């Protein structure tokens, strides 16, 4: 009874949320001041003459999203008119509910409604004279890897559904200086680095007594959206009814005021009338568990509107050997790795000692050195010890030890050491208490020592999902985890012609490899090779986007690589398309093309994603199994002679994912198996193990 009441309360809560959203959308539609219809997936904002083109949202595969509350799955596509037949018979949007396909619409209608972009579908009858409808609300997001699609909670008897879709295509064009800014500044006093990028994830509103409101955004411009149609590039916007005024253009980084020592952002407006400039003052605030918001302090004497924002990001964090991920807010504390000496031997047989944040006095390194090369006669310092753990938004946490011994007497360059910490996806026992796999030297030339540490201490709570349901076959789950390799990287074919080599791993960062120093945490890397070591390494992406599976296509994407040389505002990315090939085994990636010099496309034929072979014939005359898909035979009397399967007429099947041959057969056993009608059942698995003796397992029931 109690569980029933809880379910009822939950459904009431979901229903209230859905009804509230529906009422809000209907009300804002009724009060609409600006309504523009899109054409060919393009719509123009008449206020600023900005064109929004959504054609890139089209997909060769259907988009899909699952409701977290009900588990129901929504499928849709937009902007795909050129690829669709004129006489469309299949819906472009539908809902799968308890095995039933509910049509939500055939043609999406694009509108700009007071700053809100939406695709609207109308589908089959729902009852009471109404129809099923689906509204896809596009929300501006400056993230290169926006959040997943989100279904608004709904009840089973509901006819209207809403999906939120975060996309940069719903944003006004970013000014060049704000496309890849880090939003950081170092205090000249103690060199502390302030990073305000975590505040850049949303607009912040401040209501005013006269009914108007300020809308603020730091590090990025105010996000264009419903009733927030602010001028392009605006960091502080005043909204009064349908009037949107620029009160200061967004700036790339904060600064430390030289006269007051305050952390500030000065935003100057492009408007020449009134007092439209703004100043945001950031003060240290440690209100644990409370979301801090900016406060309006009024118009100051120099014709500037001042805002105060108390935030922990403005505090000087004195804790050594720790850093906060500016994207996720996760704090990494590596103090467990400190106070010990790590001894490393590189591939060229050179010996190094180093410490993390602190090195014991017993180390053979020179005084104050955090890393050194040691030999029987001497030790050479490779950088002064430092405890300031740093983080780049497109890389991994790292320590940098500078000002080591002189490396090049001619130029005066000195040795530096860079320790990069990478999430260990195959963690060792005790990893949370400081245990680590042995660090790896990946570079030891050109006056720099680069070392990769793998440790669970820098792992995010959730890693990239390495499996997904097939959008075309609802019940089929495709899993790439057998391709994850924690001991070596895959090297792709196809780059030999132009002297390049490509290294990838699946759903995880690259395994540290001597001579390969792409940024820590990268999952794809391009490099030239001089016969001894890799040079000119280029990061092609990180493993933080889940798989997409539809029909025979499995796509894996790595985004946020290095800036593209052909288009500096675009980051390099990698797309790997896996396809079933029963004879391929694990397979090897092959470079197909580099689109526009920025996007790397690989093809990977593998047996891992092939569906099981159910109809594999058994030839009793020679006790063998023949797999027509691979053209291979296996004689059972040679590998399973202890079980004598030849006269049992086994039923074979092949599991490509496990690399296994499964045999099922029964034998009479009235004495021991009376509870199963005198029949003993055997399920035998023969696992392919080319690098070791053949594994054999027999399970009887």
């Amino acid at each position: 009874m109690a569980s029933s009441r809880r379910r009822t309360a939950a459904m009431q809560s979901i229903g209230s949320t859905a009804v509230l959203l529906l009422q809000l959308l209907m009300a804002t539609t009724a009060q609409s001041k600006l309504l523009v219809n899109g054409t060919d997936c393009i719509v123009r904002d008449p206020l600023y003459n900005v064109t929004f083109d959504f054609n890139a949202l089209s997909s060769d595969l259907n988009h899909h999203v699952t409701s977290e509350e009900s588990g129901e799955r929504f499928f849709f596509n937009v902007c795909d008119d050129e690829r669709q037949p004129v006489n469309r018979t299949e819906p472009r949007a539908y809902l799968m509910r308890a095995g039933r396909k509910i049509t939500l619409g055939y043609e999406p209608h694009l509108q700009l409604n007071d700053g809100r972009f939406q695709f609207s579908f109308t589908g089959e009858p729902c009852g009471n004279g109404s129809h099923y409808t689906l509204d896809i609300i596009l929300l501006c997001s400056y993230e290169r890897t926006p959040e997943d699609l989100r279904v608004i909670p709904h009840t089973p008897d509901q006819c209207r559904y809403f999906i939120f879709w975060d996309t940069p295509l719903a944003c006004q064009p970013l000014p060049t200086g704000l496309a890849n800014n880090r939003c950081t500044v170092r205090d000249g006093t103690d060199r502390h680095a302030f990073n305000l990028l975590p505040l850049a994830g949303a607009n912040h509103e401040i209501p005013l007594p006269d009914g108007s409101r300020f809308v603020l955004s730091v590090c990025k411009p105010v996000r264009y959206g419903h009733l927030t149609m602010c001028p392009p590039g605006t960091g502080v916007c005043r909204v009064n009814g349908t009037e949107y005024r620029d009160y200061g253009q967004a700036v790339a980084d904060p600064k430390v005021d030289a006269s007051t020592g305050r952390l500030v952002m000065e935003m100057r407006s492009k408007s020449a009338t009134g007092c439209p400039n703004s100043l945001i003052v950031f003060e240290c605030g440690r209100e644990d568990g409370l979301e801090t918001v900016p406060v309006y302090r009024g118009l100051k004497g120099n014709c500037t509107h001042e805002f105060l924002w108390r935030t922990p990001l403005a505090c000087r964090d004195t804790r050594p050997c720790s850093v906060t991920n500016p994207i996720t807010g996760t704090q990494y504390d590596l103090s467990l790795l400190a106070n010990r000496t790590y001894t490393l031997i590189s591939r060229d047989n050179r010996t190094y000692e180093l410490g993390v944040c602190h090195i014991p006095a017993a180390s053979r390194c020179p005084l104050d050195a955090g890393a050194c090369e040691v030999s029987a006669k001497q030790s050479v310092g490779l950088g002064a010890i430092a405890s300031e753990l740093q983080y780049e938004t497109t890389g991994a946490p790292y320590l940098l030890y500078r000002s080591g011994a002189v490396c090049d007497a001619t130029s005066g360059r000195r040795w530096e050491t860079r320790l990069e910490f990478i999430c260990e996806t195959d963690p060792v026992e005790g990893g949370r208490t400081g245990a680590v796999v042995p660090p790896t030297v990946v570079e030891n030339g050109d006056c720099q020592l680069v070392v990769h540490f793998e440790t669970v201490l820098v792992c995010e709570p959730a890693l990239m999902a390495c499996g997904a349901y097939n959008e075309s076959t609802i019940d089929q789950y495709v899993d790439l985890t057998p391709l994850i390799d924690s001991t070596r990287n895959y090297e792709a074919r196809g780059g030999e012609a132009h002297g390049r080599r490509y290294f990838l791993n699946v759903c995880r960062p690259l395994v540290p490899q001597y001579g390969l120093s792409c940024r820590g945490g990268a999952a794809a890397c391009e490099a030239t090779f001089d016969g001894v070591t890799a040079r000119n390494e280029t990061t092609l992406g990180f493993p933080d986007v889940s798989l997409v599976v539809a029909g025979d296509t499995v796509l894996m994407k790595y985004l946020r690589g290095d800036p593209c040389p052909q288009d500096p505002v675009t980051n390099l990315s990698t797309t790997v398309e896996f396809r079933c090939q029963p004879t391929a085994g694990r397979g090897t990636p092959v470079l197909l093309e580099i689109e526009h010099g920025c996007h790397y496309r690989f093809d990977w034929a593998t047996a891992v994603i092939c569906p099981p072979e159910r109809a594999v014939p058994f030839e009793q005359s020679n006790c063998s199994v023949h797999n027509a898909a691979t053209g291979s035979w296996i004689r059972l009397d040679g590998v399973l002679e202890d079980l004598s399967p030849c006269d049992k007429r086994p039923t074979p099947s092949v599991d490509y994912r496990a690399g296994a041959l499964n045999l099922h057969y029964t034998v009479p056993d009235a004495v021991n198996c009376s509870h199963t009608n005198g029949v003993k059942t055997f399920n035998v698995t023969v696992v392919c193990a080319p690098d070791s003796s053949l594994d054999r397992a027999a399970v009887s029931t």
Side-chain angles (χ1 to χ4, degrees), residues 397-413:
Y398 68 94
L399 286 167
L400 190 59
Y401 300 159
R402 294 188 174 95
S403 302
V406 174
C407 170
D408 185 340
T410 303
S411 64
R413 289 182 63 192

Side-chain angles (χ1 to χ4, degrees), residues 495 498-504 510 516-518 522-529 534-541 562 565 572 574 591 594 597 600 602:
H498 50 281
R500 306 294 283 171
R501 297 177 67 179
Y502 298 91
F503 300 89
L504 300 90
L510 292 168
L516 188 66
S517 59
C518 270
C525 180
E526 177 188 44
T528 56
F529 192 71
R535 301 292 182 192
N536 304 318
E537 291 93 332
T538 303
T539 296
L540 304 182
D562 289 339
L572 298 175
T574 297
L591 177 67
I594 306 174
Y600 292 70
F602 293 86

Side-chain angles (χ1 to χ4, degrees), residues 439-498:
T440 302
V441 175
V442 297
E443 286 286 350
N444 57 350
D446 196 26
C447 299
Q448 187 177 51
L449 174 69
V450 180
V451 177
H452 281 179
F453 274 78
E454 290 189 279
T455 170
V456 296
L457 297 176
V458 295
C459 291
E460 289 293 319
L463 297 175
M464 172 183 180
C466 206
Y469 282 99
N470 193 326
E471 297 177 6
S472 303
T473 307
I474 304 300
D475 296 329
Q476 182 189 2
Y477 187 78
V478 177
D479 188 2
L480 291 182
T481 53
L483 293 178
I484 298 176
D485 199 324
S486 59
T487 60
R488 66 178 183 90
N489 299 312
Y490 296 92
E491 183 170 354
R493 299 195 305 268
E496 302 84 356
H498 50 281

Side-chain angles (χ1 to χ4, degrees), residues 36-47:
V36 180
N37 292 317
T39 303
D40 297 329
C41 257
I42 297 174
V43 63
R44 185 179 66 85
D45 171 11
L47 294 181

Side-chain angles (χ1 to χ4, degrees), residues 152-175:
I152 301 305
H154 57 273
T155 57
D157 59 348
Q158 193 169 312
C159 296
R160 190 175 186 185
Y161 302 96
F162 299 91
I163 293 175
F164 286 168
W165 192 352
D166 297 309
T167 170
L169 299 178
C171 303
Q172 296 166 324
L174 270 175

